[in-house]
C-alpha cells in the first residue's frame, strides 16, 4: 500500500531522499582558489631549486620543469 507521501508526490520515500548535487558554494570556490594559489607558489619555488637540491629528494630538472610549468588550476589529487 502506498504511503501518503508517495501518493502526494508520486515518488517513493527512497526517491525523496536523493537530492541532486548543487553547484559549488562560495566556500568551496574560496577553498579551491586558496589551494590553487598555494600549489602555484610551491611550483614557482620548485623551479627555483638548484640541481643538487632537486637531487636530494630524487627529482631531476625535467621533473621540476614538468611540474613547475603546469597551469595554476591543474591541481594534484589529494
Amino acid at each position: 500500500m502506498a504511503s501518503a507521501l508517495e501518493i502526494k508526490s508520486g515518488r517513493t520515500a527512497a526517491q525523496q531522499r536523493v537530492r541532486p548535487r548543487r553547484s559549488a558554494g562560495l566556500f568551496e570556490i574560496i577553498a579551491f582558489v586558496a589551494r590553487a594559489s598555494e600549489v602555484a607558489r610551491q611550483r614557482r619555488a620548485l623551479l627555483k631549486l638548484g640541481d643538487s637540491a632537486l637531487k636530494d629528494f630524487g627529482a631531476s630538472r625535467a621533473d621540476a620543469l614538468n611540474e613547475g610549468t603546469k597551469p595554476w588550476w591543474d591541481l594534484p589529487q589529494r
Side-chain angles (χ1 to χ4, degrees), residues 1-51:
M1 181 169 201
S3 69
L5 178 63
E6 292 172 3
I7 294 170
K8 183 177 179 183
S9 68
R11 293 168 34 179
T12 66
Q15 291 170 327
Q16 289 288 334
R17 283 178 285 205
V18 175
R19 292 183 184 176
R21 180 149 176 17
R22 46 174 216 166
S23 60
L26 183 59
F27 178 76
E28 287 92 1
I29 293 170
I30 292 170
F32 173 80
V33 171
R35 182 165 180 258
S37 175
E38 176 61 19
V39 169
R41 184 195 65 74
Q42 291 173 3
R43 286 177 176 159
R44 286 190 304 271
L46 181 65
L47 289 173
K48 292 178 183 178
L49 291 177
D51 289 336

Side-chain angles (χ1 to χ4, degrees), residues 56-78:
D56 284 346
F57 63 91
S60 66
R61 175 61 50 198
D63 295 333
L65 287 171
N66 185 38
E67 184 64 30
T69 58
K70 289 182 180 178
W72 65 268
W73 62 84
D74 186 8
L75 301 180
Q77 296 294 323
R78 291 180 182 210

